[in-house]
Amino acid sequence: MSEVTDLIAAIVAIAKDPKAWEKRLGDADDIAKQLAEARRTKKEAEDAAKAAAADLETARYERGQAERTIRDATQRNAANAQRERELKGAETELAVRRNAFEQEAANWKSNYEQREAELAARERDAEQKLATAQRLMASYDEAKHQAAMKLAS
């Protein structure tokens, strides 16, 4: 019964002051508009939260990719530095070997030139001795001939 009593009280209140009732109805319209605005704002906030969550996930993914890229680049740099050290070591070893080869080649050339000079000197000595021996043989043959001629005469 209290609902019926409340209804009757409301009708009596409307009858006594219809302007107040219209004002209450206007207030209810404003409240409904505010409620609709609040619901729209809430939906926008939820959409923004979803977009922010998606952006956060994208940012985390991109950060992970960037960290991976940095790790890969760091590893490549370390590998490149190691390879560069190896190449410099090989280059140094090659330079040492080249210098040793050039020194050995210079020694061989020096020995060759010295031996060529010694050989040329020995050839000159041999040619002189041969010439002396040939003159000696010629004089011996001449002396033998002369002796044979004296014996024959």
Side-chain angles (χ1 to χ4, degrees):
M1 275 269 209
S2 73
E3 291 178 7
V4 173
T5 309
D6 289 339
L7 181 60
I8 292 172
I11 293 173
V12 169
I14 292 170
K16 284 184 184 177
D17 193 6
K19 296 275 186 202
W21 180 253
E22 287 177 13
K23 183 179 178 205
R24 283 186 185 170
L25 287 178
D27 288 343
D29 287 339
D30 288 340
I31 291 171
K33 288 177 185 175
Q34 289 175 358
L35 180 61
E37 181 68 25
R39 286 181 180 157
R40 189 172 52 250
T41 304
K42 180 181 176 188
K43 179 149 178 27
E44 289 174 0
E46 288 173 354
D47 291 344
K50 286 179 185 177
D55 289 346
L56 179 61
E57 188 62 30
T58 301
R60 286 181 179 156
Y61 174 78
E62 289 175 356
R63 181 178 181 191
Q65 291 297 314
E67 288 174 351
R68 179 174 178 235
T69 301
I70 290 170
R71 273 193 317 271
D72 290 348
T74 302
Q75 290 171 349
R76 274 193 305 271
N77 287 343
N80 288 344
Q82 176 64 26
R83 182 67 178 144
E84 186 175 343
R85 284 191 297 275
E86 291 171 0
L87 289 174
K88 284 185 180 180
E91 182 180 17
T92 302
E93 183 179 340
L94 182 62
V96 167
R97 287 182 180 184
R98 182 181 300 132
N99 290 340
F101 174 76
E102 289 173 356
Q103 182 64 38
E104 187 175 349
N107 288 342
W108 280 99
K109 184 177 180 183
S110 173
N111 289 343
Y112 167 77
E113 290 171 352
Q114 181 181 0
R115 288 180 183 160
E116 282 293 314
E118 289 173 1
L119 182 61
R122 288 193 337 223
E123 283 178 355
R124 281 191 306 274
D125 288 346
E127 287 174 359
Q128 287 174 357
K129 287 180 182 178
L130 179 61
T132 303
Q134 286 174 344
R135 281 192 309 268
L136 207 65
M137 284 299 285
S139 73
Y140 173 75
D141 285 341
E142 182 64 31
K144 190 173 153 186
H145 181 65
Q146 292 291 330
M149 297 268 284
K150 278 187 185 183
L151 280 177
S153 44

